[in-house]
Amino acid sequence: MRVLAIDTSSNVATVAVMEDELLLGEYILNHKKTHSQKIMVMIEQLLSDLEMSVKDIDIFAAAVGPGSFTGLRIGVETVKALAHAAGKKVVSVGTLEALAYNVPYAEHIIVPIMDARRNNVFAASYIWDEGFKEIGQPEGITIEECIDSCGDFLDTVFVGDGAIAHRAYIEERLGEHAIFPHGAALNSRASSVAALALEKAKRGETQSYLEMKPYYIKKSQAEKELEEKSNKRKEENK
């Protein structure tokens, strides 16, 4: 089974193609946030290098959130368009889940952290215990709350751009109990999205492209502003 997976939920744009357990190719670009301009170019180039077309892909997968509102929309809509064109199913993969999957068979709790600005983060927790399991669901919290919740974990593996941005604070709070893997495992990788998508597909967890939606924890800035304006008008009309 071949899967094409993408992740545009953060500053990183990444695309990968896997065939069963074999990674055929992966592109990762962590340079400016121009996903709308780059992701289709990356997909087309990777497929060309693999001498494939969209019709050679069996399922399409995307990291659906949490993450950047604009980035998530770009990724989800791209995968939906490809699946529609090829007449294939899609698989939704959690962004934090995929980040944690960058560290296979870790001995410790894995806490993926995505930077949500203004000292806020998206975080969750996972463990390898007779398989890969979620033990703390994704939530939007402050970095202080995130690290407070890690107090009972002892040694903890941190991944994600939030772990990079807040590394000094994490090390100050947890000292030698904070573990950071090598750089290639810290950021989003479409190969992890693809590997999880294949597992989900084998369990029958596929969708029609019409069913795939971004997973937002917080409201977008546009939604917040619209809600504030609506509430202001209501107050003025009282």
Side-chain angles (χ1 to χ4, degrees):
M1 183 183 294
R2 288 177 180 164
V3 57
L4 185 152
I6 70 173
D7 189 342
T8 55
S9 59
S10 66
N11 285 334
V12 176
T14 173
V15 54
V17 174
M18 287 189 73
E19 184 169 6
D20 297 321
E21 305 300 319
L22 181 64
L23 175 62
L24 300 180
E26 180 177 28
Y27 288 167
I28 301 172
L29 186 61
N30 190 4
H31 178 67
K32 300 181 180 180
K33 200 169 182 180
T34 54
H35 300 338
S36 61
Q37 301 170 24
K38 300 290 178 60
I39 194 64
M40 276 307 303
V41 175
M42 294 169 68
I43 291 169
E44 290 168 358
Q45 186 61 56
L46 180 57
L47 288 174
S48 175
D49 290 346
L50 293 173
E51 299 179 333
M52 292 182 185
S53 71
V54 170
K55 292 183 179 180
D56 294 316
I57 302 299
D58 298 307
I59 57 172
F60 295 85
V64 297
S68 158
F69 291 94
T70 301
L72 290 174
R73 284 196 293 270
I74 291 169
V76 167
E77 292 305 318
T78 299
V79 160
K80 290 174 70 171
L82 291 171
H84 176 52
K88 302 294 176 61
K89 294 286 189 177
V90 301
V91 177
S92 297
V93 176
T95 306
L96 295 171
E97 180 184 15
L99 276 169
Y101 211 76
N102 286 356
V103 193
Y105 306 106
E107 297 180 0
H108 310 294
I109 301 294
I110 308 169
V111 176
I113 305 175
M114 295 189 71
D115 187 22
R117 299 182 182 179
R118 298 180 182 177
N119 225 39
N120 295 305
V121 297
F122 300 125
S125 53
Y126 300 84
I127 190 171
W128 288 91
D129 181 16
E130 297 182 357
F132 183 66
K133 300 177 182 177
E134 178 184 278
I135 57 175
Q137 66 182 10
E139 57 183 341
I141 53 179
T142 66
I143 185 61
E144 290 83 4
E145 291 171 329
C146 176
I147 302 309
D148 285 344
S149 69
C150 295
D152 297 330
F153 290 164
L154 294 179
D155 292 341
T156 306
V157 179
F158 293 95
V159 294
D161 60 5
I164 298 171
H166 298 286
R167 181 166 182 163
Y169 174 75
I170 296 170
E171 290 179 328
E172 179 186 342
R173 286 285 307 275
L174 301 181
E176 63 183 12
H177 296 297
I179 301 169
F180 297 86
H182 60 83
L186 280 170
N187 278 319
S188 302
R189 298 199 60 160
S191 54
S192 291
V193 178
L196 281 165
L198 282 168
E199 289 188 11
K200 291 175 183 286
K202 290 174 183 177
R203 296 195 298 264
E205 298 174 24
T206 59
Q207 304 169 289
S208 159
Y209 74 93
L210 295 170
E211 299 175 282
M212 178 177 271
K213 297 179 181 178
Y215 170 53
Y216 299 132
I217 289 181
K218 293 185 177 181
K219 294 180 180 178
S220 68
Q221 188 60 37
E223 289 175 314
K224 288 180 180 178
E225 291 175 359
L226 184 61
E227 187 175 275
E228 288 172 2
K229 290 179 180 178
S230 177
N231 291 335
K232 186 177 181 180
R233 283 196 296 268
K234 288 179 182 178
E235 289 296 324
E236 291 173 347
N237 292 331
K238 282 185 178 179

